[in-house]
Amino acid sequence: MLGKTLSGRYYIVKHLGRGGFGQTYLAEDRQLPGNPLCVVKQLKPQATDPLTLQVSQRLFDREAQVLYKLGKHDQIPQLLAHFEQEQEFYLVQEFIEGHELKQELPVGKHLSENQVMTLCGDILKILEFVHQQEVIHRDIKPSNLIRRKQDGKIVLIDFGAVKQVSAQKTNSERNTTLTVAIGSPGYMANEQLGGKPRFCSDIYAVGMIGIQAITGIPPSQLPEDPTTSEMIWRDKVQVSQPFADVLDKMVRYDHRQRYQTATEALQALQWVNSQMSTGAYHVPPTQTLTPPAATTQPIVTSTLLPQTDPSQPQTIQDAVAELSTSSVDTPISNAGVATPRNKPHWLIGIGVGLATAFALTAGIYYFPKQNNSSPLLQISNSPSPSLQKLNNSWDRVENIALANTFIGNSKNVYSVAISPDGQTLASGGDDNTIKLWNLGTRQQLQTLKGHSDWVYSIAFSPDGQKIASSSGDGTIKVWNLHSGQLLQTLKSGPEDRVFSIAISPDGQTLASGSKDKTIKLWNLGTGQLKNTLKGHSGFILSVAIAQNGQTLVSGSDDKTIKVWNLSTGTLISTVSEPSDNGVPAVAISPDGRILATSNISDKIYLWNLQELLKGCKGAQPCSPTRTIFAHKDYVNSVAFSPDGQTLASGSRDNTIKLWNPQTGELKSPISNHSGAVNSVTFSPDGKTLVSNGEEGKIEVWQSSP
C-alpha cells in the first residue's frame, strides 16, 4: 500500500497499525493545499461473495453516516471521506497529532485524585455526546485516547461502531451475523464479553482507566473477588472513600448496578468533588456513595469546540463553523416559567480565532471604593451586613425571570458592565463602539466611537464619572460618562490587543492585560504609564483587582494564574491551571477570600486567595479548593454577586449558571436566549444580572424574593 494513491487523492505514506478490522495508514491529501495528513482505514470483509459485499456496503454506509455525525464533536476525529475501491472499504479521518494516554499511565505511576477525577470527567463528557447518537464505543482504553498536542484535550478515536462493518461474515444459512466480544481485555465489561454491550459498558471502561490511573496498576494485573467477581484495588493506594465508591460503581460486575448513563457518572463526580472539598460528607465504611436524588443537579454534557490554531490567536476574522448544544438543565423562559428540556437542540454558531475566544471573556470587575489602609493579607470575616441577604433569591430558579432584552452592538457583544449607581448599562462589541443605556427605561443614551477594532472590555470608575474601554486596536480609551467626551487614549503598543481591564477601588489605577504578555498599570487621571508587570509567557486574557486595592490577579493563555501586589508590582505567587488550559476569566470575591478562574474547556476552579497571597510556600504548591464541572463549552466569564454568596458563570454553550462559591454546588441554571455568553455582571444591589448574547442582544435577568 505504501506509495499507492487511493480515490485519486490520498497518497499512502506510512503504515500505522493492524487491527481486527483491517489496516490503518497515514496519508497525504494531494488535492488540498499543503498536502495535509490524514488517517486512512482499510476495512476488509471476511468474504467476497455478492451477498456479503452487499450487506457490508449497506452497513458501511450506515456507519459512515454515524461517524460523520460523531466527528462534529471537537474531541472526536472528523470523517473526511468514505469510499469503496476494489471490493475494499476505506474511511478517511482527521489526523490527530498528539500522544496516546497510555504514555501518561506507565506501570507504577500514581496520578492524584484530582487529576483522575478530571480525566474521568473529560472522557465521560465525550461519551455523553457519543451515547446521544445511539453509539456504543466498545473499545475505550488508554491507547484509543489521544492527548492532542494542539490544546492538550483528550480525543476519543477508533470507534467500535466501525468494527461492526469489518466484522461481518456470512454463516451457512447465508444470514449475516456479527462477531462478538469486540473490545480489549481489562477494559471490557462482562456483558460486552458475551456480545451484549450496553452504554454502561463504556462507563465500565472509563472506571477501569480511573482505577489504573490512581493505582498505577494495569487492569489485567488487578485481582478479582472470587465470590462477587468485583475488582479488588482499594488496598493498593490511598484514596478517599467517596471517590473510591464512585469508581467502584462504574466498574460493577453486574451492569445493572453501574451508572447507566455518562450523565449519572458525571453528576456523581461533581457531587463527590463538592462534598469532599467542604468536608460536609463522611461515608460510613459499608455505605456506597450516591448523590441524593433530590439535590443532584444536571451537569456538563459534551464539549463542542472548533479547532483553532494557537500559533495565530490574533486572527479573529477567520470564523469557522461549529456545532454547540443547548443546556440540558431547566431553562428559564421569557415569562420566568421553568420548562424541561430533554433532547439536545442543535444550533449552528460561529467560532472565531483563539484570541477572540479568549477575549470574549473580558469581564468587568468593579469593587466599591473603600479604605485601602488595611494590610495586604487582611481579609474580612464576613460580607457587609447590608449585603448578606441581597441575593438569596438567586438560589431558586423559579424566582429568576428575563426582565429586558436590549439590542446592542451590530453582531457580537463581548463585554457588559453596570455603573456604580446601577443606572447605566454599557456594552462593547465587534462594531468598535461602546453603547450606553438607561438600565431602567431601556433608553439608549449614547454611542461612544473612536476605536478602530473590536471592544473587548469595559470598566466604570468607582465614582461613576468615567468609563474605560479596551480594544483590539491596542488602545484603552477613557471617556466622560455623562458627556461622552474622550478624555484619554492609552496606547498599549503597536499591533497589540488589550483583552481585559480593571480599575482599582480608589479610582487611581487602571490595569490592562494584553497580547504583548504584560500587564500595564496606568494612572487613570493622567494617562501616564506607572508600571509594567512581566512574567507571563502568553497573552494576558483576564485581570481583576481585589476590593482591598492591594491585590491584582491575572490569567493567561500560558496556562497560569499569577497574583501580584498592585502597589509594588511584586509577583506574589504563580499557579498552573489544573486542566492545562488557558485562563480566560478571573474574579475575586468581595471579601477577598475566594478566587474564581475559568478555563477554555468547561471548568471553574475556586482557590483560597489567602493561601495564594502567602506565596504557596511549603511542601505542596497551592491547589484549587474546588473543581466545578460547569459547562459544555468555553467558560467565558465569571462574576461574584456583591454579597459574595453567588458566583455567575457564562459560557459558549448558551447558558448562565449560578453557583454557591462556598460549596461549589449549582444553585440555578439559566438558558441564555440570545446565544453564547461572553460576559456576565451583577448590578450593585445584587438584584439584576446582565449577560450578552449573539446578534447584538443583551439580556437583563432579575431575581425576586
Side-chain angles (χ1 to χ4, degrees):
M1 284 287 288
L2 294 181
K4 185 176 181 179
T5 300
L6 299 173
S7 191
R9 66 184 295 180
Y10 302 109
Y11 179 77
I12 305 299
V13 297
K14 184 178 180 180
H15 180 250
L16 294 178
R18 177 195 301 269
F21 60 90
Q23 308 280 351
T24 303
Y25 300 92
L26 186 67
E28 294 178 350
D29 188 341
R30 292 292 177 89
Q31 290 188 10
L32 290 180
N35 300 330
L37 294 175
C38 56
V39 173
V40 174
K41 294 186 177 182
Q42 178 191 40
L43 311 175
K44 283 189 174 183
Q46 294 184 0
T48 58
D49 61 276
L51 177 60
T52 297
L53 289 175
Q54 181 182 2
V55 173
S56 296
Q57 177 70 66
R58 177 173 55 83
L59 292 173
F60 176 71
D61 290 340
R62 186 190 68 185
E63 301 304 342
Q65 292 175 7
V66 172
L67 284 176
Y68 180 76
K69 287 196 301 181
L70 293 174
K72 296 299 182 181
H73 193 293
D74 175 62
Q75 291 165 271
I76 298 173
Q78 292 183 2
L79 179 66
L80 304 177
H82 73 289
F83 55 89
E84 179 187 356
Q85 184 171 318
E86 298 176 356
Q87 295 186 342
E88 293 178 351
F89 303 102
Y90 295 90
L91 293 168
V92 183
Q93 290 183 289
E94 172 190 7
F95 172 66
I96 305 298
E97 184 179 5
H99 64 267
E100 296 177 353
L101 182 65
K102 68 179 183 180
Q103 295 183 23
E104 300 178 16
L105 304 176
V107 176
K109 180 179 179 180
H110 302 258
L111 298 187
S112 70
E113 193 165 317
N114 187 62
Q115 288 174 315
V116 177
M117 195 176 300
T118 298
L119 174 62
C120 290
D122 289 343
I123 302 171
L124 286 168
K125 283 181 291 181
I126 306 173
L127 269 184
E128 189 171 44
F129 172 78
V130 172
H131 291 173
Q132 286 174 354
Q133 313 307 313
E134 300 297 321
V135 173
I136 304 172
H137 187 282
R138 298 189 294 163
D139 199 13
I140 294 175
K141 57 184 178 181
S143 59
N144 281 339
L145 294 161
I146 305 297
R147 181 76 71 181
R148 187 162 54 199
K149 181 179 179 181
Q150 176 186 4
D151 55 13
K153 291 183 179 180
I154 290 291
V155 178
L156 179 58
I157 66 170
D158 198 8
F159 278 77
V162 175
K163 295 182 183 179
Q164 290 181 358
V165 179
S166 61
Q168 298 298 316
K169 63 181 181 180
T170 304
N171 61 21
S172 58
E173 279 76 35
R174 313 292 289 176
N175 294 321
T176 301
T177 63
L178 289 176
T179 56
V180 298
I182 294 175
S184 299
Y187 306 97
M188 189 175 1
N190 176 62
E191 71 280 358
Q192 184 173 334
L193 185 63
K196 297 180 180 180
R198 301 170 181 268
F199 292 126
C200 64
S201 304
D202 284 345
I203 296 172
Y204 178 94
V206 177
M208 291 308 303
I209 291 174
I211 291 174
Q212 177 181 357
I214 206 163
T215 62
I217 302 173
S220 59
Q221 298 180 20
L222 289 171
E224 292 184 2
D225 187 307
T227 303
T228 64
S229 296
E230 304 292 356
M231 304 302 300
I232 300 174
W233 64 275
R234 292 198 190 201
D235 60 336
K236 313 296 182 185
V237 67
Q238 290 185 347
V239 60
S240 66
Q241 184 165 333
F243 183 44
D245 285 341
V246 171
L247 290 176
D248 270 342
K249 187 168 181 178
M250 292 174 73
V251 300
R252 289 296 183 202
Y253 181 81
D254 185 345
H255 65 82
R256 293 169 296 184
Q257 298 180 16
R258 290 184 218 133
Y259 301 108
Q260 296 302 298
T261 67
T263 300
E264 289 182 20
L266 281 166
Q267 288 173 346
L269 285 177
Q270 186 187 32
W271 190 78
V272 167
N273 182 71
S274 64
Q275 295 298 307
M276 296 304 294
S277 297
T278 61
Y281 193 89
H282 302 281
V283 185
T286 59
Q287 182 177 347
T288 299
L289 181 67
T290 304
T295 59
T296 300
Q297 296 284 354
I299 59 172
V300 294
T301 56
S302 59
T303 303
L304 301 172
L305 304 175
Q307 293 192 23
T308 51
D309 182 358
S311 67
Q312 295 184 341
Q314 71 276 16
T315 313
I316 54 182
Q317 291 83 0
D318 296 337
V320 295
E322 70 174 13
L323 280 172
S324 61
T325 57
S326 63
S327 174
V328 297
D329 297 323
T330 303
I332 308 301
S333 70
N334 284 340
V337 179
T339 56
R341 178 178 294 150
N342 298 319
K343 295 183 179 180
H345 174 61
W346 297 98
L347 300 172
I348 296 295
I350 296 296
V352 292
L354 191 57
T356 306
F358 288 153
L360 302 185
T361 67
I364 305 306
Y365 307 101
Y366 162 72
F367 300 99
K369 186 175 181 180
Q370 69 170 36
N371 189 320
N372 295 324
S373 61
S374 57
L376 178 63
L377 296 180
Q378 180 176 338
I379 299 177
S380 61
N381 292 325
S382 61
S384 168
S386 62
L387 293 176
Q388 286 181 352
K389 296 185 178 180
L390 277 181
N391 285 2
N392 289 348
S393 54
W394 294 114
D395 295 351
R396 296 181 296 277
V397 69
E398 63 270 18
N399 292 337
I400 304 171
L402 180 63
N404 284 312
T405 299
F406 295 83
I407 304 299
N409 303 76
S410 60
K411 186 175 181 182
N412 289 312
V413 177
Y414 294 151
S415 184
V416 291
I418 300 175
S419 61
D421 62 6
Q423 299 299 309
T424 305
L425 170 66
S427 66
D430 61 359
D431 61 0
N432 309 345
T433 70
I434 302 98
K435 295 188 183 299
L436 303 179
W437 316 78
N438 183 304
L439 191 56
T441 66
R442 299 177 57 189
Q443 178 185 1
Q444 183 173 333
L445 302 175
Q446 54 185 318
T447 299
L448 307 180
K449 299 180 180 180
H451 285 295
S452 60
D453 205 328
W454 300 357
V455 176
Y456 290 138
S457 186
I458 308 171
F460 285 97
S461 63
D463 61 8
Q465 299 301 307
K466 299 176 182 177
I467 184 171
S469 56
S470 70
S471 169
D473 64 11
T475 69
I476 301 114
K477 293 185 181 295
V478 183
W479 317 75
N480 182 297
L481 178 60
H482 303 292
S483 67
Q485 178 186 359
L486 179 62
L487 303 176
Q488 299 280 352
T489 296
L490 317 179
K491 296 183 179 180
S492 180
E495 298 184 2
D496 201 359
R497 292 180 178 274
V498 186
F499 295 134
S500 183
I501 56 176
I503 297 176
S504 62
D506 62 5
Q508 299 299 307
T509 302
L510 182 146
S512 63
S514 60
K515 175 186 169 184
D516 70 356
K517 307 175 185 179
T518 70
I519 302 161
K520 292 182 173 62
L521 304 180
W522 310 83
N523 184 308
L524 185 60
T526 65
Q528 180 182 0
L529 179 62
K530 298 164 59 176
N531 203 350
T532 300
L533 311 184
K534 299 179 180 180
H536 281 293
S537 60
F539 301 168
I540 312 300
L541 307 176
S542 49
V543 293
I545 299 175
Q547 197 173 42
N548 64 9
Q550 297 294 309
T551 304
L552 170 71
V553 177
S554 56
S556 169
D557 74 344
D558 67 6
K559 306 173 184 178
T560 69
I561 300 115
K562 293 183 183 292
V563 180
W564 312 78
N565 183 309
L566 182 63
S567 299
T568 65
T570 303
L571 177 62
I572 300 172
S573 62
T574 299
V575 292
S576 297
E577 204 283 331
S579 300
D580 200 30
N581 282 304
V583 185
V586 296
I588 302 170
S589 63
D591 64 3
R593 291 181 175 274
I594 302 173
L595 169 67
T597 65
S598 72
N599 64 21
I600 61 169
S601 180
D602 51 16
K603 299 179 184 66
I604 298 171
Y605 293 99
L606 302 180
W607 309 75
N608 184 324
L609 185 55
Q610 188 171 10
E611 291 301 316
L612 297 178
L613 289 170
K614 293 177 181 177
C616 296
K617 298 178 181 178
Q620 296 293 331
C622 290
S623 298
T625 58
R626 291 168 190 84
T627 300
I628 301 175
F629 294 86
H631 289 273
K632 297 181 293 184
D633 210 327
Y634 289 174
V635 184
N636 288 330
S637 182
V638 288
F640 283 95
S641 61
D643 63 359
Q645 301 304 301
T646 302
L647 174 69
S649 60
S651 168
R652 281 175 54 182
D653 67 4
N654 302 350
T655 67
I656 304 158
K657 293 189 179 180
L658 305 175
W659 310 89
N660 183 325
Q662 280 71 44
T663 66
E665 295 177 347
L666 180 64
K667 289 182 172 186
S668 303
I670 302 175
S671 179
N672 198 63
H673 300 295
S674 302
V677 183
N678 300 325
S679 182
V680 292
T681 188
F682 283 97
S683 62
D685 64 4
K687 295 180 181 179
T688 301
L689 176 68
V690 175
S691 63
N692 76 290
E694 296 169 348
E695 303 301 328
K697 293 182 180 178
I698 302 166
E699 297 187 347
V700 180
W701 305 89
Q702 289 185 341
S703 63
S704 57

